[in-house]
Amino acid sequence: LEWLELGASFRRKVVIFDGAELLSPEAANALLKVVEEPPHHALFIFIAREMESVLPTIISRCTRVLVAPVATATLERAFPDVAPELLEFAAGRPGILLERETVLAALAGARTFVETLKNGMLEALQAAEVLEKAFDARWHPQVLRFLWRGLPTVQRLAAEQHLLELTEQLEQYANSSLVFSVFTLKLRHVLGHSS
């Protein structure tokens, strides 16, 4: 825990876990001791989009502060030049609008990939290769789910399951080209475009 030691010029150390819902059970359990008995002047902040997704062992040791989404009308006034689709994707999260170029690029790339799935297999695999090269774990899973929002429930849930498998395999440093190819084949099947 040397990284939590206070230097002479510091009054407090703050550790922020953005994406607490992504902590594996092993990682969360490794943190429990230090979260239960933090060093003097250490503060841990766990940020999660959905509290239900955070492991109960972490939740039980934290004080919860709920932050409501910003009203769409407020975001429209603050960001008058933002496209309606981006406002819909932001869903009250102004931080997304501050990274609009990155998010718009992820939306465009994911849309191209999703639209290409209904074309021939070769074109779909080529689009998967482009998506693989541009894949940003912060944004692409979110934008893919956003693009799938209109799918029938069964298809959407199956697509999200394949997306979860993709992200887990990428975290395990699997061959990303192969992982994206398999992901593409599974999505084509789920969406009824396999041939």
Side-chain angles (χ1 to χ4, degrees), residues 25-45:
E26 295 81 13
N29 288 330
L31 288 171
L32 287 181
K33 178 76 171 151
V34 73
V35 171
E36 283 178 337
E37 299 172 20
H40 192 59
H41 298 297
L43 176 67
F44 294 89
I45 299 175

Side-chain angles (χ1 to χ4, degrees), residues 11-30:
R11 291 189 359 228
R12 177 176 297 277
K13 283 259 182 143
V14 178
V15 180
I16 299 174
F17 293 91
D18 188 2
E21 68 274 18
L22 303 175
L23 284 171
S24 68
E26 295 81 13
N29 288 330

Side-chain angles (χ1 to χ4, degrees), residues 18 58 61 76 94 111 154 165 173 175 189:
D18 188 2
I58 293 293
R61 289 158 176 84
E76 287 173 335
R111 179 176 289 105
V154 172
E165 292 167 3
Y173 302 105
N175 179 318
H189 179 73

